[in-house]
Amino acid sequence: MAKSTRNVVTQGLSGTVGTLVFSQRGGQTIVGMRPQGQREYNEEQKEYQRRFQWGILYGKAAIADVEMKADYQQKAKAGRSAFNVAVADFLNAPVIDRVVRTKFPLRKKGHIMYVLRQGRPML
């Protein structure tokens, strides 16, 4: 995928020309190839597509809430939207590896500590 900057011909261009697809992202023109035809997906791919659909729904709900949108917008780096960060947050949620009971209060409400980390659970 290519980015076109300060090109008078492609500035603001969006759509398809032959096999090239032009789109706008963050004020820049992005050029890519047209997607290939449909194919059969295996069960793992279908499951990921379902997860991604849930992530899109979460992202839409997150940006509908003013406070959550402000939080995600603050986390967003240049060229990314609050929606993109919310979807990524959903898809890369922390995993609870184990629950540890403690004898000292970690918070006023309880004595349980959750051990969290990004990625897959430890085996």
Side-chain angles (χ1 to χ4, degrees):
M1 192 169 301
K3 293 181 182 179
S4 175
T5 57
R6 290 198 259 167
N7 185 333
V8 190
V9 177
T10 62
Q11 182 178 2
L13 184 65
S14 65
T16 305
V17 178
T19 59
L20 297 177
V21 177
F22 295 86
S23 61
Q24 299 296 312
R25 179 67 131 198
Q28 293 183 330
T29 303
I30 308 295
V31 183
M33 297 296 292
R34 185 172 57 194
Q36 298 297 318
Q38 294 292 330
R39 64 185 184 102
E40 292 294 320
Y41 298 105
N42 63 35
E43 283 305 313
E44 185 178 345
Q45 290 168 323
K46 289 178 183 177
E47 178 58 33
Y48 188 81
Q49 289 173 351
R50 284 188 283 273
R51 266 189 73 222
F52 194 79
Q53 287 175 338
W54 278 105
I56 296 299
L57 292 174
Y58 175 79
K60 288 180 179 181
I63 63 170
D65 182 335
V66 177
E67 290 179 16
M68 285 182 72
K69 183 177 181 178
D71 288 343
Y72 280 121
Q73 193 63 49
Q74 188 177 10
K75 292 180 185 179
K77 296 178 182 170
R80 293 189 71 194
S81 66
F83 175 77
N84 296 132
V85 176
V87 171
D89 192 33
F90 179 87
L91 293 175
N92 300 308
V95 176
I96 298 176
D97 282 332
R98 61 189 173 272
V99 177
V100 179
R101 293 186 182 274
T102 64
K103 293 183 181 181
F104 59 92
L106 296 172
R107 293 188 177 212
K108 293 178 181 178
K109 294 183 178 180
H111 303 274
I112 298 178
M113 177 176 64
Y114 297 96
V115 179
L116 303 173
R117 67 178 186 82
Q118 292 292 108
R120 297 179 184 254
M122 293 188 285
L123 300 175

